[in-house]
Amino acid sequence: MNAPRERVWKAFTTAEALAHWWGPTGFSITTKSFDFRVGGDWIFTMHGPDGRDYPNWIRFTSIQEPARMDHDHGGDSDRVIFQAVITLDDLGDKTRVTLHSTFLTKEQRDLVVKEYGAVEGGKQTLARLDEYVNNQKV
């Protein structure tokens, strides 16, 4: 990201900020609840450009401000629940954002990659985050 780590961190910590950039190109989100603390939940629906809705939930399991957040992530059917780690490395006026997801099985990982386009979607989401943090004056 072409923004300082503190600005990138802030983009992850409120539902209002996340609504501007979370999800692949063409997606929007509606947040039902957001409690950014260890043990807190973010319950939201991703709305695809084709009109399809994707209910999601995230439970924060570790928060190390402003460098790392860990969470469990699932959906409405909970066909797949995975653990994710987001790290923000301080590079001065830039930030390296790393997303790491761990699945219980190879089949679950392959489903998310193939059915939901997770790799390309992740790249698009990071591009939207970069655009968002570059337009912030905070």
Side-chain angles (χ1 to χ4, degrees):
M1 301 291 120
N2 291 311
R5 179 167 68 171
E6 291 73 22
R7 187 180 309 161
V8 177
W9 179 263
K10 287 180 181 180
F12 280 97
T13 61
T14 68
E16 294 80 15
L18 288 159
H20 290 281
W21 64 268
W22 186 270
T25 304
F27 278 72
S28 63
I29 64 168
T30 302
T31 293
K32 180 176 179 181
S33 64
F34 185 82
D35 184 9
F36 187 70
R37 64 177 176 84
V38 174
D41 295 325
W42 176 25
I43 300 171
F44 63 101
T45 300
M46 296 179 67
H47 309 288
D50 61 356
R52 185 172 170 192
D53 288 337
Y54 301 88
N56 282 260
W57 60 265
I58 284 176
R59 176 159 298 122
F60 300 103
T61 57
S62 177
I63 297 172
Q64 299 167 22
E65 184 177 348
R68 179 180 168 136
M69 60 197 86
D70 300 18
H71 63 267
D72 296 332
H73 192 148
D76 62 341
S77 66
D78 289 337
R79 290 177 16 191
V80 177
I81 297 174
F82 61 94
Q83 296 174 328
V85 176
I86 301 168
T87 56
L88 308 179
D89 295 317
D90 186 355
L91 306 176
D93 61 347
K94 297 183 181 207
T95 306
R96 179 184 314 115
V97 178
T98 304
L99 310 176
H100 181 86
S101 299
T102 303
F103 296 84
L104 294 175
T105 67
K106 176 185 179 304
E107 292 75 23
Q108 287 183 343
R109 182 207 60 207
D110 291 349
L111 174 78
V112 170
V113 169
K114 291 175 184 169
E115 185 173 325
Y116 298 116
V119 174
E120 181 58 30
K123 291 176 185 177
Q124 292 175 14
T125 298
L126 289 176
R128 291 182 70 197
L129 170 60
D130 192 41
E131 180 180 350
Y132 176 74
V133 296
N134 280 300
N135 290 323
Q136 298 305 298
K137 305 298 181 213
V138 178

